Amino acid sequence: KCPNESKYIANRSAAYLGAGDRSRALQDAEKAIEMSPTWFKGYSRKASVYLRLKKYKDCIETCKIGLDCEWT
């Protein structure tokens, strides 16, 4: 079971996306954002999902939010 920390959830999102499971990837990205709304990684993961889904406007908007976040 994945620990309930935003960094693990964000990384699991990337793993799901790599495996082609966009739905779970998006769910985990959103959970990571909910857990750590000022950390950029959740937004990065969410934007990656939107890019794969060809939802370019959503991708750009998510990236803009992520650029205003902490980069640590």
Side-chain angles (χ1 to χ4, degrees):
K1 185 175 179 180
C2 187
N4 197 23
E5 293 183 33
S6 58
K7 65 182 176 180
Y8 294 111
I9 302 298
N11 287 340
R12 188 172 68 183
S13 173
Y16 280 139
L17 187 58
D21 192 339
R22 296 177 210 152
S23 177
R24 284 187 175 164
L26 184 57
Q27 288 173 359
D28 271 359
E30 290 173 340
K31 184 174 182 180
I33 291 168
E34 182 181 310
M35 295 169 78
S36 298
T38 60
W39 185 48
F40 82 99
K41 188 63 79 170
Y43 297 98
S44 172
R45 301 297 191 214
K46 188 174 181 178
S48 294
V49 175
Y50 283 145
L51 185 61
R52 289 271 181 95
L53 293 171
K54 298 182 180 181
K55 292 187 172 187
Y56 302 119
K57 184 177 179 181
D58 291 330
C59 179
I60 291 168
E61 292 304 314
T62 302
C63 287
K64 287 179 182 178
I65 296 167
L67 287 172
D68 289 332
C69 293
E70 297 171 9
W71 286 79
T72 57

